[in-house]
Amino acid sequence: MPIIAPSLLAANFLKLEDECKMLNESEADWFHLDIMDGRFVPNISFGPMIVEFVRKTTKKLCDVHLMIIEPEKYAEAFKKAGADGLSVHIEACPDLQKNIQQIISLGMKPGVAINPDTPIADLEDILPSIHHVCFMSVYPGYGGQHFIPESIGRIKQLRRMIDEKGLNVLIEIDGGVTVENAQSIIDTGADVLVAGNTVFKSKDPKATIHELKAIH
Ligand code: DX5
Ligand code: ZN
């Protein structure tokens, strides 16, 4: 069964507490929190303060996805806000090993996020040091985009690379995941499905999470 990580970016922020309650009552495994700085991506979302509020509502894993430049300046703030996992973008980190070591020493699960136009081979050296790859199946910056079909071949390539090295790194797919395409994504060997609009804009979010969770 896949790990399901609803993205709060698509939640109703006027009712954030209710949205978190719904996720707690659902089969969702992780809370995915998207941080955007208006520099690395064209959009701005929210910062550690919101993560801190969300943290108070749940015991589930808080998976923070940093779409920001100079993530080393903020890693500690997100740890203090209650992040369990922290992903940094490979494209934003000239010294990626250093960023990952910082995340590990702060006691969080380290993740590396990768954009659709960055070669999968660029992940090779970092894989042994990380907990998950946040594989972008859309260009980051906005929720509600369409899954890029070329992602399928790239996820398979990543799966092979992880398996050949005998590693336990989780593959998390982020962007454009729907009830319709989730099975084909899981078939590539993905472990975690992020879903924003598919969950929060659904008529029955808990039932939608159940549908995603039932895929195998
Ligand atoms: C995109 C974010 C995603 C986004 C996914 O930049 O990293 O996590 O919230 O949203 P959906 O599932 O609506 O594509
Ligand atoms: Zn994300």
Side-chain angles (χ1 to χ4, degrees), residues 76-154:
E76 200 177 334
F78 283 102
K79 170 64 187 179
K80 282 196 181 133
D84 300 299
L86 197 67
S87 302
V88 293
H89 266 269
I90 187 170
E91 303 85 6
C93 299
D95 191 347
L96 185 59
Q97 278 289 355
K98 206 169 164 189
N99 287 93
I100 294 305
Q101 288 316 316
Q102 181 195 27
I103 295 167
I104 294 170
S105 63
L106 285 167
M108 293 179 285
K109 295 181 195 303
V112 171
I114 183 164
N115 280 344
D117 52 3
T118 301
I120 294 296
D122 291 5
L123 290 169
E124 180 131 30
D125 293 344
I126 202 70
L127 283 180
S129 312
I130 62 177
H131 173 261
H132 60 277
V133 171
C134 179
F135 177 99
M136 295 311 303
S137 39
V138 299
Y139 284 91
Y142 301 93
Q145 302 182 73
H146 288 293
F147 183 89
I148 299 171
E150 288 75 22
S151 302
I152 294 292
R154 282 165 52 82

Side-chain angles (χ1 to χ4, degrees), residues 16-173:
L16 192 54
E17 192 173 7
D18 295 341
E19 300 279 51
C20 293
K21 189 165 177 275
M22 178 279 290
L23 291 183
N24 282 327
E25 290 166 0
S26 79
E27 290 168 71
D29 301 280
W30 298 0
F31 282 33
H32 185 85
L33 295 142
D34 288 304
I35 314 300
M36 305 178 182
D37 65 353
R39 302 287 303 280
F40 181 71
V41 288
N43 196 10
I44 298 177
S45 59
F46 51 82
M49 188 184 84
I50 298 289
V51 175
E52 201 176 325
F53 280 119
V54 169
R55 169 79 287 168
K56 288 189 179 125
T57 71
T58 190
K59 292 194 166 61
K60 297 194 183 193
L61 189 149
C62 287
D63 166 39
V64 174
H65 175 195
L66 297 184
M67 286 161 273
I68 69 174
I69 58 169
E70 300 179 329
E72 58 281 356
K73 289 189 179 167
Y74 299 95
E76 200 177 334
F78 283 102
K79 170 64 187 179
K80 282 196 181 133
D84 300 299
L86 197 67
S87 302
V88 293
H89 266 269
I90 187 170
E91 303 85 6
C93 299
D95 191 347
L96 185 59
Q97 278 289 355
K98 206 169 164 189
N99 287 93
I100 294 305
Q101 288 316 316
Q102 181 195 27
I103 295 167
I104 294 170
S105 63
L106 285 167
M108 293 179 285
K109 295 181 195 303
V112 171
I114 183 164
N115 280 344
D117 52 3
T118 301
I120 294 296
D122 291 5
L123 290 169
E124 180 131 30
D125 293 344
I126 202 70
L127 283 180
S129 312
I130 62 177
H131 173 261
H132 60 277
V133 171
C134 179
F135 177 99
M136 295 311 303
S137 39
V138 299
Y139 284 91
Y142 301 93
Q145 302 182 73
H146 288 293
F147 183 89
I148 299 171
E150 288 75 22
S151 302
I152 294 292
R154 282 165 52 82
I155 304 167
K156 286 182 183 162
Q157 190 189 343
L158 177 58
R159 177 81 274 160
R160 268 199 308 276
M161 201 188 274
I162 291 170
D163 291 349
E164 277 167 17
K165 291 178 183 294
L167 296 170
N168 246 331
V169 182
L170 298 175
I171 303 179
E172 173 181 44
I173 308 304

Side-chain angles (χ1 to χ4, degrees), residues 162-215:
I162 291 170
D163 291 349
E164 277 167 17
K165 291 178 183 294
L167 296 170
N168 246 331
V169 182
L170 298 175
I171 303 179
E172 173 181 44
I173 308 304
D174 189 7
V177 174
T178 64
V179 170
E180 290 72 31
N181 66 18
Q183 181 72 60
S184 61
I185 296 170
I186 289 302
D187 289 345
T188 64
D191 306 289
V192 185
L193 298 177
V194 173
N197 280 265
T198 290
V199 166
F200 287 101
K201 305 289 186 258
S202 143
K203 276 212 181 78
D204 187 346
K206 282 187 214 169
T208 300
I209 292 168
H210 177 75
E211 270 186 84
L212 293 171
K213 189 73 190 167
I215 291 165

